[in-house]
């Protein structure tokens, strides 16, 4: 990647502000393009108060993370890559490359967040650049998606 132009998120958050995930030896089920984004650019380490990236020692899949923390994980989601969490759900990339908010150890179904990890990362950057207070992402999403003054996730 040295000969490529850095992604705008990497430019904004800096190298230390992006968490890259090493997935090459992992039995995860994510498409090659999602894998490349996660390995080469990553996701922001923190977008307060909405998102914190998976820790360096966290299990990379939902199943591994859940097992390490004594939580239940739906077997159909066990191989999804866990990229981080907000204060309620775990953000994970599914086998089809979409990003979902998953509620481990609960009966509620996961909720669609973004069509792919690049869009998710861009939304994180958008919130910081467009809404410097970091307090308006819910209102922005609700206004655009019609979810009654709350974020869709």
């Amino acid at each position: 990647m040295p000969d490529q132009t850095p992604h705008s998120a990497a430019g904004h958050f800096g190298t230390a502000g992006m968490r890259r995930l090493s997935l090459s030896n992992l039995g995860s089920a994510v498409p090659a393009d999602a894998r490349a984004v996660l390995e080469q650019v990553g996701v922001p380490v923190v977008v307060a108060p909405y998102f914190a990236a998976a820790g360096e020692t966290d299990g990379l899949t939902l199943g591994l993370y859940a097992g390490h923390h004594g939580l239940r994980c739906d077997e159909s989601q066990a191989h999804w890559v866990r990229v981080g969490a907000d204060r309620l759900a775990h953000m994970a990339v599914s086998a089809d490359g979409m990003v979902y908010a998953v509620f481990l150890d609960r009966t509620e179904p996961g909720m669609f967040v973004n069509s792919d990890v690049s869009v998710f990362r861009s939304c994180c950057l958008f919130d910081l650049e467009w809404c410097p207070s970091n307090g308006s992402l819910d209102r922005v999403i609700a206004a655009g998606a019609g979810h009654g003054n709350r974020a869709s996730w």
Side-chain angles (χ1 to χ4, degrees), residues 2-149:
D3 57 339
Q4 295 178 357
T5 304
H7 186 276
S8 58
H12 178 84
F13 293 102
T15 304
M18 298 294 289
R19 174 74 32 82
R20 286 165 214 64
L21 305 175
S22 179
L23 305 175
S24 53
N25 294 325
L26 184 66
S28 65
V30 296
D33 56 338
R35 179 181 298 266
V37 168
L38 291 170
E39 289 182 334
Q40 295 172 9
V41 180
V43 295
V45 172
V46 174
V47 181
Y50 295 103
F51 175 76
E56 291 182 20
T57 60
D58 286 349
L60 290 174
T61 62
L62 282 175
L64 249 136
Y65 181 87
H68 290 168
H69 293 275
L71 303 170
R72 288 179 311 217
C73 177
D74 185 308
E75 192 161 323
S76 67
Q77 300 169 340
H79 291 289
W80 291 8
V81 173
R82 182 181 175 274
V83 296
D86 63 14
R87 293 172 288 185
L88 181 62
H90 300 270
M91 301 301 143
V93 181
S94 67
D96 60 4
M98 294 187 192
V99 179
Y100 287 88
V102 178
F103 305 98
L104 295 176
D105 217 26
R106 297 172 76 177
T107 57
E108 291 88 359
M111 296 190 306
F112 173 83
V113 174
N114 291 108
S115 58
D116 64 48
V117 73
S118 292
V119 175
F120 174 75
R121 186 189 55 225
S122 294
C123 287
C124 291
L125 179 61
F126 174 81
D127 185 42
L128 289 177
E129 289 182 342
W130 191 75
C131 307
S133 70
N134 278 343
S136 58
L137 182 59
D138 283 352
R139 291 187 302 278
V140 170
I141 292 170
H147 289 281
N149 293 327

